[in-house]
Amino acid sequence: MKLFDHEQIKKMEDIVARYEVQASAIMPLLHFVQETKGHLEEEHLVFVADFLDIPHVRAFEVATYYTMYFTKPIGKYLIQVCRNLSCSINGAPEVIEAIRENLKVELGETTADGLFTIVEVECIGACDLAPAVMINEKLFGKVSTDSISGILDSYREKAQDA
Ligand code: FES
């Protein structure tokens, strides 16, 4: 069975075409594959490396170095907590602790029910709303240790309704 269909290959070619040096397309290409497949399996990384005509190890290095790539399945809801300066001084460490306690997982882990994965990330461009948290595509600003449990509960309810 093919890893990617014709339409997906076309999208990958379009991504690569935006770069003068095709190897430079590795990060957006990994993003696309992760979006398409949910996470990056070994066969996906090999495919991307071959697609860009770069050594396989390069794709593995990039995928394992950056926190936004996942080589294992992640939860239905990906919680990304910013750890940069504005967020850190406005309570991000306490918010992370509250999330960890609520979900009973460590950073980088997924809850046993497969609902949530929590990671720390670099600035997500919402410094004026620090501390900022993204859950999938949705941004939450000025998150507090009090407000986070309500936010998590709303996702639990959402998952039940789905
Ligand atoms: S420092 Fe956290 S969003 Fe910019």
Side-chain angles (χ1 to χ4, degrees):
M1 199 180 126
K2 278 190 185 171
L3 272 183
F4 299 98
D5 63 24
H6 180 72
E7 200 179 316
Q8 290 165 336
I9 298 284
K10 175 77 179 79
K11 282 191 181 149
M12 287 191 246
E13 285 169 351
D14 290 346
I15 291 170
V16 175
R18 289 189 227 133
Y19 295 83
E20 240 173 78
V21 178
Q22 70 173 18
S24 304
I26 185 160
M27 291 183 71
L29 213 51
L30 289 175
H31 270 298
F32 174 78
V33 173
Q34 181 165 275
E35 239 177 69
T36 307
K37 302 290 187 185
H39 67 284
L40 299 166
E41 293 276 356
E42 186 176 334
E43 60 185 352
H44 302 141
L45 297 175
V46 168
F47 182 93
V48 166
D50 289 343
F51 199 80
L52 294 173
D53 200 19
I54 58 175
H56 293 170
V57 66
R58 181 74 190 121
F60 284 82
E61 281 169 356
V62 174
T64 51
Y65 178 77
Y66 292 99
T67 55
M68 70 273 212
Y69 298 120
F70 300 95
T71 52
K72 287 190 281 188
I74 59 169
K76 183 177 173 73
Y77 303 115
L78 175 62
I79 304 170
Q80 301 181 77
V81 186
C82 172
R83 64 176 171 200
N84 277 154
L85 190 60
S86 299
C87 289
S88 284
I89 59 178
N90 281 289
E94 290 79 10
V95 169
I96 288 172
E97 198 49 37
I99 296 173
R100 283 186 49 249
E101 269 180 30
N102 187 302
L103 300 181
K104 314 237 179 312
V105 289
E106 299 298 324
L107 280 172
E109 290 183 351
T110 299
T111 53
D113 58 7
L115 272 191
F116 299 100
T117 300
I118 174 176
V119 292
E120 278 186 325
V121 291
E122 301 301 330
C123 179
I124 50 181
C127 318
D128 52 329
L129 297 173
V133 174
M134 292 268 299
I135 302 186
N136 288 0
E137 304 302 314
K138 190 165 168 41
L139 174 72
F140 294 90
K142 300 192 185 299
V143 176
S144 69
T145 51
D146 288 336
S147 68
I148 193 64
S149 71
I151 294 171
L152 295 174
D153 283 344
S154 72
Y155 278 88
R156 288 183 177 107
E157 282 163 24
K158 196 191 284 218
Q160 275 180 351
D161 295 345

